[in-house]
């Protein structure tokens, strides 16, 4: 059974669940938008991508974040997915992450897009 992320209750008042494809997408989202050091028992879990929303925008910074994010995906989700490509871009205060991967258990290719923006002042 896979719990849905973020944790919430379904229409029956029970903890909501997610199918395998949604669960994998949710785990990728958690990894991408968790900062290293945020989890007490896994201090190296995360990618630090959220810091990029507030950083000066440059292609070099996006390439650096892409370079540090790929090993994190392979380390924590490598048993579930085969990462095909990862693209990190930042425009103004919006971070866009596009990931192409293959689900190892089914062989199904997937493309997911994750977007985060800095909160309005």
């Amino acid at each position: 059974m896979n719990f849905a992320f973020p944790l919430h209750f379904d229409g029956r008042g029970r903890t909501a669940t997610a199918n395998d494809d949604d669960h994998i997408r949710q785990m990728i989202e958690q990894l991408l938008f968790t900062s290293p050091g945020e989890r007490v028992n896994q201090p190296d879990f995360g990618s630090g991508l959220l810091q990029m929303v507030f950083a000066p925008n440059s292609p070099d910074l996006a390439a650096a974040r892409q370079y540090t994010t790929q090993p994190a995906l392979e380390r924590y989700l490598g048993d579930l997915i085969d990462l095909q490509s990862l693209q990190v871009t930042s425009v103004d205060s919006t971070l866009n992450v596009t990931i192409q991967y293959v689900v190892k258990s089914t062989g199904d290719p997937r493309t997911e897009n994750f977007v985060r923006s800095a909160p309005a002042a």
Side-chain angles (χ1 to χ4, degrees):
M1 177 186 329
N2 302 319
F3 293 117
F5 174 79
L7 189 63
H8 63 278
F9 298 105
D10 63 15
R12 300 175 297 168
R14 298 180 181 173
T15 304
T17 59
N19 63 37
D20 289 340
D21 289 336
D22 289 341
H23 185 64
I24 290 172
R25 184 187 194 290
Q26 293 165 0
M27 287 192 303
I28 292 171
E29 184 175 12
Q30 288 178 58
L31 180 67
L32 291 176
F33 300 114
T34 298
S35 296
E38 193 173 328
R39 291 192 175 183
V40 175
N41 293 327
Q42 291 182 309
D44 56 343
F45 181 86
S47 68
L49 282 177
L50 280 181
Q51 297 167 351
M52 193 172 164
V53 172
F54 299 102
N57 192 7
S58 75
D60 294 335
L61 182 61
R65 287 296 181 202
Q66 184 171 326
Y67 181 75
T68 59
T69 301
Q70 186 169 345
L73 284 165
E74 291 171 349
R75 176 180 178 190
Y76 287 101
L77 300 175
D79 57 332
L80 299 174
I81 65 171
D82 183 16
L83 186 62
Q84 303 295 305
S85 73
L86 168 68
Q87 182 179 7
V88 179
T89 57
S90 180
V91 178
D92 295 328
S93 62
T94 302
L95 177 67
N96 189 349
V97 181
T98 303
I99 299 176
Q100 293 179 340
Y101 62 94
V102 175
V103 178
K104 286 187 174 182
S105 63
T106 63
D108 293 336
R110 299 273 186 242
T111 301
E112 301 289 352
N113 191 42
F114 302 91
V115 178
R116 287 291 186 277
S117 296

